[in-house]
Amino acid sequence: MALTLSRRSGEEIRLFCGNEVTDEEILAAVRGEGLAVRVDGVYAPLSREPVKGVTVRLSVRAPRCIEVLRGELKSRLDVR
């Protein structure tokens, strides 16, 4: 199952791994399942210059050991 997020220019998605997951488990999951990011649509004319208000829909598929967050939600992880 993929998580679908809408992002505008300058916004980001962040991929995190919890402290309870070992480096070996992360590497094995990424090697086995891989990471997939798919652009589901661009909702403005394409040009060489950034267009204000352009929204891109991204679908992210990652192993369960990797948490996918909108960039602005990173502060949630800092509280844990």
Side-chain angles (χ1 to χ4, degrees), residues 3-70:
L3 171 66
T4 301
L5 299 170
S6 295
R7 301 281 77 197
R8 290 194 168 98
S9 178
E11 295 180 329
E12 56 186 36
I13 57 173
R14 309 286 305 251
L15 305 175
F16 294 95
C17 299
N19 292 332
E20 68 281 354
V21 182
T22 67
D23 292 346
E24 292 79 17
E25 290 172 317
I26 295 166
L27 184 57
V30 171
R31 281 189 174 155
E33 297 177 44
L35 296 172
V37 178
R38 185 179 76 210
V39 176
D40 286 333
V42 178
Y43 300 101
L46 294 176
S47 72
R48 291 184 174 264
E49 297 296 319
V51 179
K52 187 175 182 178
V54 171
T55 299
V56 176
R57 291 187 53 157
L58 300 170
S59 293
V60 181
R61 189 175 28 188
R64 290 190 179 271
C65 62
I66 297 176
E67 187 171 4
V68 180
L69 290 176
R70 298 189 318 260

